[in-house]
Amino acid sequence: MAWIYLMIAVGCEIIWAISLKATAGYSELWPSVFNASVLTINIYFLSRAVKTLPVAVAYPIWTGLGGAGVAIAAVVFFHESLGIWQIICILAIILGVIGLEIGKPKENEESLGSVESLGSLENG
């Protein structure tokens, strides 16, 4: 269920960022209310996701897919353009997100990210 919450949060992140343009710097009432509401829903689902998923994985996925999604949505809805290097970098972000999931340590593998394992590395 945590992955579903995270994907809902990613979708909300994209909608929130794209709808910022309609708020005109939060000077338009209803677009601003919509934007703030989506942001609230976004953070709610992200917080539900990190109850189960490690923050070190969930947050980069949320920001990475959110950023890539915003770039794609800006091209589709606002007819913004992307150069070849921007497209390559967006693909690199998506590959990095995939790598976070594929590269996670198995249950029987020692992780370098835990406090205990860092202490054992220092001691020898």
Side-chain angles (χ1 to χ4, degrees):
M1 201 64 191
W3 284 104
I4 293 170
Y5 292 148
L6 185 59
M7 291 304 109
I8 292 170
V10 167
C12 289
E13 177 76 358
I14 295 166
I15 294 167
W16 168 78
I18 291 298
S19 67
L20 273 172
K21 203 165 193 141
T23 69
Y26 277 92
S27 64
E28 297 291 329
L29 177 62
W30 293 114
S32 299
V33 168
F34 174 79
N35 183 267
S37 299
V38 172
L39 178 59
T40 303
I41 295 166
N42 179 5
I43 298 303
Y44 170 77
F45 279 106
L46 179 61
S47 70
R48 292 294 304 263
V50 298
K51 283 176 72 174
T52 305
L53 298 174
V55 173
V57 172
Y59 183 76
I61 289 173
W62 176 67
T63 58
L65 291 181
V70 168
I72 293 166
V75 168
V76 171
F77 296 115
F78 301 134
H79 308 290
E80 295 180 10
S81 61
L82 294 174
I84 187 67
W85 284 109
Q86 292 169 311
I87 293 168
I88 290 169
C89 289
I90 290 169
L91 291 174
I93 290 169
I94 293 168
L95 288 174
V97 166
I98 293 168
L100 283 171
E101 181 56 23
I102 292 172
K104 70 180 177 184
K106 307 290 184 255
E107 286 186 29
N108 59 352
E109 287 181 345
E110 188 170 331
S111 169
L112 293 177
S114 69
V115 174
E116 294 82 20
S117 66
L118 288 176
S120 67
L121 287 175
E122 291 173 359
N123 296 330

